[in-house]
């Protein structure tokens, strides 16, 4: 007879609840409830392990971005717990192990020792499936041999490579590679003229089973204080006749320019039969070169950070018209024509955002829909489940009437309860009866501009008056949707700044030696 657990639910149902819906903190609390829940939650708790330190240095650091406290002695305790021979049952539950990034740079000798300690743990985890490295470490032969000889053949994922990835041997276990090349990564002591290099051919020959490749190149030098200009050197990708790309499923190129001599290799040898996701940033001309290839893309993300001419937007439109399999399209910059977007009937995620020029005003998408854009969206994209629209402010009116500073009360934001009611009525009038849409988010206010360091006069007013409304439809026949005002980006930033300041004061007061916790005399 099947064992019945608390509240009459079967063990299988409780396991699904524990695995799918509980955070790490929740799992720790569940383990303290009873022996039944401890036995149920412990395998899930140890399924994914995150480590930061392998030394009992009792070091407590503050993440400058999130404000989170990292107690390195806690992860050292977890490391010792797994290394203990009495806990072989815990080792068997570990499927994924992550080596998190250190908050401060280490010298090379300490980095090697850190990797050696991590290698020792990898050896004794019998069911390990994935290894995630979130910091740049010198990949030693001992570490790579350990993965190669592991009985379960775990997959390796590198997320913080900076152009010094080991490519003198094949690593068939590598599945994810994220490379960022920037002058900021030049180590102390490197000569000022040392080049930053990237050789994609060597990467492809070394990592034969690579599935996800992310290349990000920071080419800009400058700021208030100009530093040394380190040259960037890229080895052109010229694959020989018998050489090929690895079976990539996801490709992201940011700041990596595909030059004319490389186009043939990218066009003819990129594995279009496996590629499902393509992200491009500042990569002009690449779309034109691959238009007409046998594409089966599901996801396309385009971001042009330096402006896009009409001709380059035409390249995007021709590319979109060359296939029809997209389910997600995200374009920031110059917007393509709606007929090119509508060529993909399976779209369920659509984001189009035009960034305004510094000296011009973007076109105003009014809620009364003078250009028929909303009507086209309501009728044509039946597969879209969530529609998010940015409603631009009447910026021409702001400029002409000089409604700035103390006179800003005269200007009415584009989103209000009255304008939302008008929008809902108009949208329902055009809505396709087969539409799967269940949520619309309307947002006003702008935080993307070509030159954010030189904002227009009305930028501060527009930011402060930003609003976000969410419209939820409960069914295809719903004529009375639920409208909720959400927190805007501006208000969220103010709240996060306030919470971060308060959190840091509390955490430092409770954890740092010599500072009494709040409430203590």
């Amino acid at each position: 007879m099947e064992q019945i657990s608390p509240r009459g639910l079967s063990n299988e149902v409780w396991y699904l609840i524990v695995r799918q819906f509980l955070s790490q903190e929740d799992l720790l609390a569940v383990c303290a409830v009873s022996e039944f829940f401890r036995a149920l939650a412990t395998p899930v708790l140890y399924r994914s392990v995150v480590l930061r330190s392998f030394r009992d240095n009792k070091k407590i650091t503050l993440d400058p971005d999130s404000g989170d406290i990292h107690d390195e002695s806690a992860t050292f305790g977890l490391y010792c717990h797994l290394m203990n021979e009495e806990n072989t049952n815990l080792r068997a539950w570990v499927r994924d192990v992550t080596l998190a990034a250190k908050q401060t740079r280490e010298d090379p000798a300490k980095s090697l020792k850190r990797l050696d300690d991590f290698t020792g743990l990898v050896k004794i985890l019998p069911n390990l499936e994935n290894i995630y490295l979130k910091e740049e470490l010198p990949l030693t032969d001992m570490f790579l041999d350990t993965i190669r000889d592991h009985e379960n053949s775990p997959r390796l994922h590198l997320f913080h490579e900076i152009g010094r990835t080991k490519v003198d041997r094949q690593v068939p276990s590598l599945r994810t590679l994220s490379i960022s090349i920037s002058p900021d990564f030049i180590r102390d002591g490197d000569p000022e003229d040392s080049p930053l290099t990237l050789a994609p051919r060597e990467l492809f020959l070394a990592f034969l089973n690579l599935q996800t490749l992310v290349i990000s190149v920071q080419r800009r030098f400058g700021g208030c204080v100009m530093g040394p200009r380190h040259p960037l050197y890229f080895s052109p990708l010229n694959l020989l006749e018998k050489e090929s790309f690895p079976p990539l499923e996801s490709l992201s190129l940011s700041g990596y320019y595909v030059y004319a001599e490389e186009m043939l290799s990218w066009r003819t040898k990129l594995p279009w039969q496996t590629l499902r996701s393509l992200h491009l940033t500042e990569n002009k001309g690449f779309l034109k070169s691959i238009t007409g290839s046998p594409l089966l893309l599901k996801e396309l993300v385009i971001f042009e950070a330096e402006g896009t001419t009409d001709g380059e937007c035409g390249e995007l439109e021709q590319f979109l018209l060359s296939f029809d399999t997209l389910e997600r399209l995200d374009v920031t910059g110059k917007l393509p024509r709606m007929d090119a977007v509508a060529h993909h009937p399976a779209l369920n995620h659509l984001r189009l955002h035009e960034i305004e020029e510094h000296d011009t005003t973007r076109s105003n998408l009014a809620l009364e829909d003078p250009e028929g854009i909303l009507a086209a969206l309501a009728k044509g994209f039946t597969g879209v489940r969530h529609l998010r629209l940015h409603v631009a402010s009447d910026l021409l009116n702001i400029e002409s009437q000089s409604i700035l500073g103390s006179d800003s009360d005269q200007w009415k934001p584009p989103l209000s309860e009255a304008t939302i009611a008008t929008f809902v009525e108009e949208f329902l009038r055009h809505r396709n009866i087969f539409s799967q849409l269940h949520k619309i988010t309307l947002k006003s206010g702008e935080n993307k501009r070509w030159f954010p360091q030189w904002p227009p006069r009305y930028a501060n007013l527009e930011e402060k008056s930003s609003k976000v409304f969410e419209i939820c439809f409960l069914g295809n026949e719903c004529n009375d949707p639920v409208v909720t005002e959400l927190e805007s980006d501006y208000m969220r930033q103010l709240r996060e700044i306030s919470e971060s300041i308060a959190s840091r004061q509390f955490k430092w007061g409770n954890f740092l030696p010599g500072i009494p916790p709040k409430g203590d005399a």
Side-chain angles (χ1 to χ4, degrees):
M1 179 179 295
E2 183 182 20
Q3 180 182 357
I4 302 300
S5 55
R7 294 189 179 274
L9 297 179
S10 66
N11 294 349
E12 290 77 10
V13 173
W14 276 117
Y15 179 75
L16 290 175
I17 293 173
V18 167
R19 181 172 179 178
Q20 299 293 331
F21 301 106
L22 299 186
S23 64
Q24 291 289 97
E25 292 77 11
D26 295 333
L27 289 172
L28 285 172
V30 167
C31 287
V33 172
S34 67
E35 288 296 328
F36 171 81
F37 281 110
R38 181 183 180 88
L40 197 67
T42 300
V44 182
L45 185 63
Y46 278 87
R47 182 178 180 85
S48 181
V49 172
V50 179
L51 298 172
R52 189 178 304 275
S53 177
F54 303 97
R55 290 290 176 271
D56 190 14
N57 52 17
K58 296 182 173 60
K59 184 177 180 181
I60 298 175
T61 58
L62 176 69
D63 191 320
D65 297 322
S66 65
D68 293 336
I69 288 289
H70 297 303
D71 186 354
E72 296 192 3
S73 61
T75 59
F76 171 72
L78 176 59
Y79 167 73
C80 292
H81 204 50
L82 291 171
M83 294 296 291
N84 192 326
E85 291 297 332
E86 296 180 359
N87 294 322
T88 55
N89 59 324
L90 298 182
R91 299 175 187 174
W93 290 329
V94 178
R95 297 295 186 273
D96 304 330
V97 60
T98 300
L99 183 57
K102 299 279 288 185
Q103 297 302 313
T104 56
R105 278 188 176 183
E106 288 184 328
D107 61 66
K110 288 185 177 180
S111 295
L112 284 172
K113 178 58 179 171
R114 182 171 159 80
L115 186 63
D116 288 345
D117 292 335
F118 186 68
T119 302
L121 177 62
V122 169
K123 286 182 180 179
I124 61 174
L125 300 178
N127 298 317
L128 189 61
E129 297 176 358
N130 292 286
I131 303 170
Y132 300 95
L133 296 186
K134 296 296 184 69
E135 65 171 295
E136 191 229 3
L137 289 171
L139 299 182
T140 62
D141 287 330
M142 182 177 72
F143 175 69
L144 296 177
D145 290 342
T146 298
I147 299 177
R148 181 197 62 194
D149 299 335
H150 197 285
E151 293 183 358
N152 207 44
S153 302
R155 298 175 288 270
L156 178 62
H157 308 267
L158 304 179
F159 286 97
H160 192 63
E161 295 299 292
I162 59 175
R164 299 184 176 92
T165 309
K166 186 181 182 68
V167 293
D168 59 353
R169 59 174 287 177
Q170 290 188 346
V171 185
S173 60
L174 189 65
R175 295 297 190 273
T176 303
L177 177 63
S178 178
I179 302 177
S180 297
I181 296 182
S182 168
D184 296 336
F185 298 145
I186 295 294
R187 293 185 177 128
D188 295 337
D190 285 350
E192 292 187 359
D193 59 348
S194 62
L196 303 172
T197 61
L198 179 64
R201 176 177 176 270
E202 283 70 17
L203 293 176
F204 296 155
L205 296 181
F207 310 135
L208 302 176
N209 297 316
L210 190 65
Q211 296 176 338
T212 299
L213 175 63
V214 179
I215 299 178
S216 176
V217 180
Q218 173 61 263
R219 297 172 179 269
R220 297 180 179 83
F221 301 85
C224 298
V225 179
M226 293 289 290
R229 182 182 289 260
H230 294 268
L232 302 177
Y233 175 75
F234 299 93
S235 176
L237 177 63
N238 291 314
L239 296 176
L240 302 180
E241 182 178 356
K242 294 184 179 180
E243 296 175 347
S244 62
F245 280 77
L248 292 176
E249 298 177 2
S250 177
L251 174 65
S252 176
L253 301 176
S254 175
Y256 176 86
Y257 300 156
V258 179
Y259 295 105
E261 60 268 27
E262 302 179 64
M263 288 297 186
L264 182 62
S265 292
W266 285 95
R267 177 181 174 85
T268 60
K269 295 199 172 185
L270 196 65
W272 303 112
Q273 69 277 11
T274 62
L275 194 67
R276 295 296 180 266
S277 175
L278 178 62
H279 292 219
L280 296 177
T281 300
E282 301 180 67
N283 210 306
K284 300 171 183 177
F286 185 74
L287 290 180
K288 182 179 180 180
S289 70
I290 63 175
T291 298
S293 301
L295 299 171
L296 295 173
L297 287 178
K298 300 295 184 182
E299 177 181 87
L300 177 64
V301 178
I302 303 292
F303 183 91
E304 292 295 343
E306 295 183 342
T308 309
T309 65
D310 291 336
E312 288 158 359
C313 189
E315 291 181 9
L316 173 59
E317 292 167 354
Q318 292 301 316
F319 180 72
L320 290 173
L321 292 170
S322 67
F323 67 108
D324 60 359
T325 58
L326 284 180
E327 297 177 1
R328 178 192 177 193
L329 176 61
D330 193 324
V331 179
T332 302
K334 194 82 171 182
L335 302 188
R337 300 193 316 268
M338 191 57 64
D339 63 316
V341 177
H343 192 66
H344 297 264
L347 279 174
N348 55 49
H349 177 106
L350 174 63
R351 180 183 179 274
L352 305 175
H353 192 111
E354 182 176 13
I355 303 180
E356 67 177 8
E357 299 287 352
H358 174 62
D359 55 351
T360 60
T361 301
R362 63 183 180 272
S363 58
N364 182 22
L365 173 59
L367 287 176
E368 58 270 16
D369 193 21
E371 300 178 0
I373 297 176
L374 298 183
L377 291 173
K379 293 178 180 179
F381 296 94
T382 57
V384 174
R385 293 177 174 83
H386 183 188
L387 178 63
R388 185 179 180 90
L389 296 177
H390 175 263
V391 182
S393 309
D394 191 357
L395 303 180
L396 288 174
N397 182 57
I398 296 176
E399 290 284 4
S400 62
Q401 298 186 25
S402 298
I403 304 179
L404 300 168
S406 60
D407 297 329
S408 60
D409 292 339
Q410 302 176 27
W411 176 67
K412 295 182 179 179
L415 290 183
S416 65
E417 293 183 1
T419 56
I420 291 295
T422 302
F423 170 84
V424 170
E425 180 181 355
E426 182 72 10
F427 193 87
L428 288 175
R429 187 166 65 88
H430 294 288
R431 190 185 187 195
N432 192 309
I433 60 173
F434 299 105
S435 173
Q436 300 180 38
L437 187 71
H438 68 272
K439 183 189 299 182
I440 300 177
T441 302
L442 295 179
K443 173 185 175 183
S444 65
E446 178 58 81
N447 58 4
K448 291 185 174 67
R449 293 184 171 87
W450 290 127
F451 302 100
Q453 66 272 37
W454 301 315
R457 291 187 301 154
Y458 49 77
N460 189 50
L461 170 63
E462 186 179 29
E463 184 179 32
K464 288 184 177 180
S465 61
S466 61
K467 289 182 177 293
V468 179
F469 284 88
E470 185 178 87
I471 305 169
C472 293
F473 300 89
L474 303 181
N476 291 344
E477 303 298 329
C478 178
N479 294 318
D480 189 20
V482 178
V483 179
T484 307
E485 182 173 0
L486 305 179
E487 185 179 45
S488 67
D489 290 342
Y490 178 73
M491 296 305 297
R492 176 182 54 78
Q493 291 172 1
L494 291 181
R495 175 180 57 78
E496 289 179 349
I497 291 174
S498 177
E499 291 178 351
S500 177
I501 294 174
S503 175
R504 292 184 185 191
Q505 291 175 344
F506 173 78
K507 288 177 178 178
W508 283 111
N510 276 278
F511 289 99
L512 292 185
I515 302 179
K518 289 186 177 182
D520 291 352

